[in-house]
Amino acid sequence: MKIYIDEAGNTGSAGIIKNKKKGINFNSQPFFALGMLIIKDDEDAKNMLEMFKRFKEMFSITSEIKGATLSTRERNEEMEYLFNQFFDSIHFKINIYDKRFYISTLLLRTFSDNQIFYEDTVFFYTQASILARQNNTFFEHYCSFVSNPNKESYKQYLSFLSEFDYVEIDNETNLIKNRAEELLKTDIHMESINQLFLFEDGSDDLYDLINLNALFEAITWIKQDNELKNKDILFIHDNIDKIEDIIKKYSFSENLNICFEKSSENVFLQIIDYCTSLFLHFYKNTQQIFTEKKEWLPENEWMLTHYSKLQNILGAENIKYTLPIQDWAMSLCVKDMFSLSMPKCNIVFNPLYEKKQIEITQNLINNSYILPFTQNILRR
């Protein structure tokens, strides 16, 4: 089996703006997506290549086109063809990340020593979902601290967390605020600082962490679904700038069969680029539409309908929503409402939204046990 992997969303970068003392670098790209194209055998590869050849001939494509361009008006015909003739629930998987949410989960896992994650997964995700809604200053201080960790900056960061004006959460249930206040009363040791010091080489962003986490989750996902070992799978990753060095440095490379190729020379990487870029495009725009409370305006129906269509084509079971619970529920509501003849209004949306949140909660309870074994699965 061969798995082709591509990324979209500034390749996961999340940190402070280079050459500046403050400001996060992911304001314009707050989301990250990793896509996988699954090719089971030579016959599968042959069929996919024939489909791709027909696609290129139909639209007179003579060179590589990037997935990001398919969402433009000039490429709408090509995009519709991919939706209707190419993408499916057999060959494609997507992991969509909210970078603020991911940083929030890192904070919670660090300050609770992972305990709350395993003991009460729903509470963990609920707290992370709330933290993800804090303003940019909250995330700027985290990124600044992990880029320069020492006793003084650690104390300053704890003071910031204890004094920050949080929204949508009271002091009594705010795990981060309460834990920061406790730690300020204790002696600060380098051991506790190193828990937040996430980089061995003094890197100034979270590029390593988000990309690697998404990749390892994807590999684990494939191995569990197919009950395969490392020797049975070859992973081919798009050779994005510096990604090869990062993966080789931090991954269990002695156990994983992974190589890196240029998408311009590999049509399978081009295909997964199309799917990954389009999914990220439709999610990002759908998120913005709901944030601005413009979801029922006629001019936004095309965008929401296509996000719904792509989710239904791939199947929710092939999409990992690493998002705040409320945004995960919103996505599932769009998936249902814009694929069926349902009235597009809050009267229909609100009860469906509550139902989806309950389903997500149950999903978290049912699947939380899987996560502690990720490292062992990767090594097999």
Short mmCIF file of all heavy atoms in Angstrom, two decimals, residues 150-178:
data_model
loop_
_atom_site.label_atom_id
_atom_site.label_comp_id
_atom_site.label_asym_id
_atom_site.label_seq_id
_atom_site.Cartn_x
_atom_site.Cartn_y
_atom_site.Cartn_z
N ASN A 150 13.14 30.48 29.82
CA ASN A 150 14.09 30.53 30.93
C ASN A 150 13.29 30.84 32.19
O ASN A 150 12.07 31.03 32.13
CB ASN A 150 15.19 31.57 30.68
CG ASN A 150 14.62 32.95 30.39
OD1 ASN A 150 13.91 33.53 31.22
ND2 ASN A 150 14.90 33.48 29.20
N LYS A 151 13.94 30.89 33.33
CA LYS A 151 13.21 31.06 34.58
C LYS A 151 12.43 32.37 34.61
O LYS A 151 11.29 32.43 35.08
CB LYS A 151 14.18 30.99 35.77
CG LYS A 151 14.68 29.58 36.05
CD LYS A 151 15.51 29.55 37.33
CE LYS A 151 15.97 28.12 37.64
NZ LYS A 151 16.74 28.07 38.90
N GLU A 152 13.06 33.44 34.13
CA GLU A 152 12.40 34.74 34.18
C GLU A 152 11.20 34.80 33.23
O GLU A 152 10.12 35.27 33.59
CB GLU A 152 13.40 35.84 33.83
CG GLU A 152 12.84 37.26 33.95
CD GLU A 152 12.35 37.58 35.35
OE1 GLU A 152 12.91 37.05 36.33
OE2 GLU A 152 11.39 38.36 35.47
N SER A 153 11.39 34.31 32.00
CA SER A 153 10.28 34.35 31.04
C SER A 153 9.16 33.42 31.47
O SER A 153 7.98 33.68 31.21
CB SER A 153 10.77 33.99 29.64
OG SER A 153 11.25 32.66 29.59
N TYR A 154 9.51 32.32 32.15
CA TYR A 154 8.51 31.39 32.65
C TYR A 154 7.65 32.05 33.72
O TYR A 154 6.42 31.96 33.72
CB TYR A 154 9.20 30.15 33.21
CG TYR A 154 8.27 29.05 33.68
CD1 TYR A 154 7.26 28.56 32.86
CD2 TYR A 154 8.44 28.47 34.93
CE1 TYR A 154 6.42 27.53 33.28
CE2 TYR A 154 7.61 27.44 35.36
CZ TYR A 154 6.61 26.99 34.53
OH TYR A 154 5.78 25.97 34.96
N LYS A 155 8.30 32.76 34.62
CA LYS A 155 7.57 33.46 35.68
C LYS A 155 6.67 34.54 35.08
O LYS A 155 5.51 34.70 35.50
CB LYS A 155 8.55 34.08 36.68
CG LYS A 155 7.88 34.70 37.89
CD LYS A 155 8.93 35.18 38.89
CE LYS A 155 8.24 35.79 40.12
NZ LYS A 155 9.24 36.26 41.12
N GLN A 156 7.18 35.25 34.10
CA GLN A 156 6.38 36.29 33.44
C GLN A 156 5.18 35.67 32.72
O GLN A 156 4.08 36.22 32.73
CB GLN A 156 7.25 37.06 32.45
CG GLN A 156 8.30 37.94 33.10
CD GLN A 156 9.23 38.57 32.08
OE1 GLN A 156 9.14 38.31 30.88
NE2 GLN A 156 10.14 39.41 32.56
N TYR A 157 5.41 34.51 32.10
CA TYR A 157 4.32 33.85 31.38
C TYR A 157 3.25 33.36 32.34
O TYR A 157 2.05 33.49 32.08
CB TYR A 157 4.87 32.69 30.55
CG TYR A 157 3.82 32.00 29.71
CD1 TYR A 157 3.03 32.72 28.82
CD2 TYR A 157 3.60 30.63 29.82
CE1 TYR A 157 2.05 32.10 28.05
CE2 TYR A 157 2.63 30.00 29.06
CZ TYR A 157 1.86 30.74 28.18
OH TYR A 157 0.89 30.12 27.43
N LEU A 158 3.66 32.78 33.46
CA LEU A 158 2.69 32.34 34.47
C LEU A 158 1.88 33.52 35.00
O LEU A 158 0.65 33.42 35.19
CB LEU A 158 3.40 31.63 35.62
CG LEU A 158 4.02 30.27 35.32
CD1 LEU A 158 4.79 29.76 36.54
CD2 LEU A 158 2.96 29.26 34.90
N SER A 159 2.53 34.64 35.22
CA SER A 159 1.83 35.85 35.68
C SER A 159 0.82 36.31 34.63
O SER A 159 -0.31 36.69 34.97
CB SER A 159 2.83 36.98 35.96
OG SER A 159 3.70 36.63 37.01
N PHE A 160 1.23 36.25 33.37
CA PHE A 160 0.31 36.62 32.30
C PHE A 160 -0.93 35.73 32.31
O PHE A 160 -2.07 36.20 32.23
CB PHE A 160 1.02 36.52 30.94
CG PHE A 160 0.09 36.58 29.77
CD1 PHE A 160 -0.44 37.79 29.33
CD2 PHE A 160 -0.30 35.41 29.11
CE1 PHE A 160 -1.31 37.84 28.25
CE2 PHE A 160 -1.17 35.45 28.03
CZ PHE A 160 -1.69 36.67 27.60
N LEU A 161 -0.73 34.41 32.43
CA LEU A 161 -1.85 33.47 32.42
C LEU A 161 -2.78 33.68 33.62
O LEU A 161 -3.99 33.52 33.51
CB LEU A 161 -1.33 32.03 32.41
CG LEU A 161 -0.64 31.56 31.14
CD1 LEU A 161 -0.06 30.16 31.33
CD2 LEU A 161 -1.58 31.58 29.94
N SER A 162 -2.21 34.03 34.74
CA SER A 162 -3.02 34.21 35.95
C SER A 162 -3.81 35.52 35.91
O SER A 162 -4.87 35.63 36.53
CB SER A 162 -2.14 34.18 37.19
OG SER A 162 -1.28 35.30 37.24
N GLU A 163 -3.32 36.52 35.17
CA GLU A 163 -3.96 37.84 35.14
C GLU A 163 -4.75 38.11 33.86
O GLU A 163 -5.47 39.10 33.79
CB GLU A 163 -2.88 38.92 35.29
CG GLU A 163 -2.13 38.84 36.62
CD GLU A 163 -0.90 39.72 36.64
OE1 GLU A 163 -0.68 40.45 35.64
OE2 GLU A 163 -0.16 39.69 37.64
N PHE A 164 -4.63 37.25 32.87
CA PHE A 164 -5.28 37.48 31.58
C PHE A 164 -6.80 37.55 31.74
O PHE A 164 -7.40 36.83 32.54
CB PHE A 164 -4.91 36.35 30.61
CG PHE A 164 -5.48 36.51 29.23
CD1 PHE A 164 -4.98 37.44 28.35
CD2 PHE A 164 -6.55 35.72 28.81
CE1 PHE A 164 -5.51 37.59 27.07
CE2 PHE A 164 -7.08 35.85 27.54
CZ PHE A 164 -6.56 36.79 26.66
N ASP A 165 -7.42 38.43 30.96
CA ASP A 165 -8.87 38.61 31.01
C ASP A 165 -9.54 37.62 30.05
O ASP A 165 -9.78 37.91 28.89
CB ASP A 165 -9.23 40.04 30.62
CG ASP A 165 -10.72 40.35 30.79
OD1 ASP A 165 -11.40 39.58 31.50
OD2 ASP A 165 -11.18 41.35 30.22
N TYR A 166 -9.81 36.42 30.55
CA TYR A 166 -10.39 35.35 29.73
C TYR A 166 -11.85 35.65 29.39
O TYR A 166 -12.57 36.27 30.18
CB TYR A 166 -10.31 34.01 30.46
CG TYR A 166 -8.92 33.52 30.72
CD1 TYR A 166 -8.21 33.94 31.86
CD2 TYR A 166 -8.28 32.65 29.85
CE1 TYR A 166 -6.92 33.49 32.12
CE2 TYR A 166 -7.00 32.19 30.10
CZ TYR A 166 -6.32 32.62 31.23
OH TYR A 166 -5.05 32.18 31.48
N VAL A 167 -12.28 35.15 28.23
CA VAL A 167 -13.68 35.28 27.84
C VAL A 167 -14.33 33.89 27.84
O VAL A 167 -13.67 32.88 27.61
CB VAL A 167 -13.85 35.93 26.44
CG1 VAL A 167 -13.29 37.34 26.45
CG2 VAL A 167 -13.18 35.08 25.35
N GLU A 168 -15.61 33.85 28.15
CA GLU A 168 -16.44 32.64 28.08
C GLU A 168 -16.07 31.55 29.09
O GLU A 168 -16.43 30.39 28.91
CB GLU A 168 -16.43 32.06 26.66
CG GLU A 168 -16.98 33.00 25.60
CD GLU A 168 -17.05 32.36 24.23
OE1 GLU A 168 -17.10 31.13 24.16
OE2 GLU A 168 -17.06 33.10 23.23
N ILE A 169 -15.31 31.93 30.13
CA ILE A 169 -14.96 30.94 31.15
C ILE A 169 -14.80 31.65 32.49
O ILE A 169 -14.21 32.73 32.56
CB ILE A 169 -13.67 30.18 30.77
CG1 ILE A 169 -13.40 29.05 31.75
CG2 ILE A 169 -12.48 31.12 30.66
CD1 ILE A 169 -12.30 28.10 31.30
N ASP A 170 -15.36 31.05 33.55
CA ASP A 170 -15.25 31.68 34.87
C ASP A 170 -13.98 31.21 35.56
O ASP A 170 -13.37 30.19 35.21
CB ASP A 170 -16.48 31.37 35.73
CG ASP A 170 -16.71 29.87 35.91
OD1 ASP A 170 -15.83 29.22 36.51
OD2 ASP A 170 -17.74 29.36 35.44
N ASN A 171 -13.56 31.97 36.56
CA ASN A 171 -12.30 31.69 37.25
C ASN A 171 -12.29 30.32 37.93
O ASN A 171 -11.27 29.64 37.99
CB ASN A 171 -12.03 32.78 38.29
CG ASN A 171 -11.72 34.12 37.64
OD1 ASN A 171 -11.31 34.17 36.48
ND2 ASN A 171 -11.91 35.19 38.39
N GLU A 172 -13.43 29.91 38.44
CA GLU A 172 -13.50 28.66 39.20
C GLU A 172 -13.17 27.44 38.34
O GLU A 172 -12.54 26.50 38.81
CB GLU A 172 -14.89 28.50 39.81
CG GLU A 172 -15.03 27.30 40.74
CD GLU A 172 -16.39 27.22 41.39
OE1 GLU A 172 -17.09 28.25 41.42
OE2 GLU A 172 -16.76 26.13 41.86
N THR A 173 -13.62 27.44 37.09
CA THR A 173 -13.40 26.27 36.23
C THR A 173 -12.24 26.45 35.26
O THR A 173 -11.99 25.57 34.44
CB THR A 173 -14.68 25.97 35.42
OG1 THR A 173 -15.02 27.12 34.62
CG2 THR A 173 -15.83 25.63 36.33
N ASN A 174 -11.53 27.56 35.34
CA ASN A 174 -10.44 27.85 34.42
C ASN A 174 -9.17 27.13 34.88
O ASN A 174 -8.43 27.60 35.74
CB ASN A 174 -10.19 29.36 34.35
CG ASN A 174 -9.23 29.74 33.24
OD1 ASN A 174 -8.37 28.95 32.84
ND2 ASN A 174 -9.37 30.95 32.74
N LEU A 175 -8.91 25.97 34.29
CA LEU A 175 -7.78 25.14 34.70
C LEU A 175 -6.45 25.86 34.51
O LEU A 175 -5.57 25.78 35.38
CB LEU A 175 -7.80 23.84 33.91
CG LEU A 175 -6.81 22.74 34.30
CD1 LEU A 175 -7.38 21.38 33.98
CD2 LEU A 175 -5.46 22.91 33.60
N ILE A 176 -6.27 26.57 33.39
CA ILE A 176 -5.00 27.23 33.10
C ILE A 176 -4.72 28.34 34.11
O ILE A 176 -3.62 28.44 34.67
CB ILE A 176 -5.00 27.80 31.67
CG1 ILE A 176 -5.08 26.66 30.64
CG2 ILE A 176 -3.75 28.65 31.43
CD1 ILE A 176 -3.92 25.70 30.67
N LYS A 177 -5.69 29.19 34.36
CA LYS A 177 -5.51 30.29 35.30
C LYS A 177 -5.19 29.77 36.71
O LYS A 177 -4.24 30.24 37.36
CB LYS A 177 -6.78 31.15 35.35
CG LYS A 177 -6.75 32.29 36.36
CD LYS A 177 -8.06 33.05 36.35
CE LYS A 177 -8.11 34.10 37.45
NZ LYS A 177 -7.10 35.16 37.26
N ASN A 178 -5.96 28.79 37.15
CA ASN A 178 -5.77 28.25 38.50
C ASN A 178 -4.41 27.56 38.65
O ASN A 178 -3.74 27.68 39.67
CB ASN A 178 -6.90 27.29 38.86
CG ASN A 178 -8.24 27.99 38.95
OD1 ASN A 178 -8.30 29.18 39.25
ND2 ASN A 178 -9.32 27.28 38.68
#
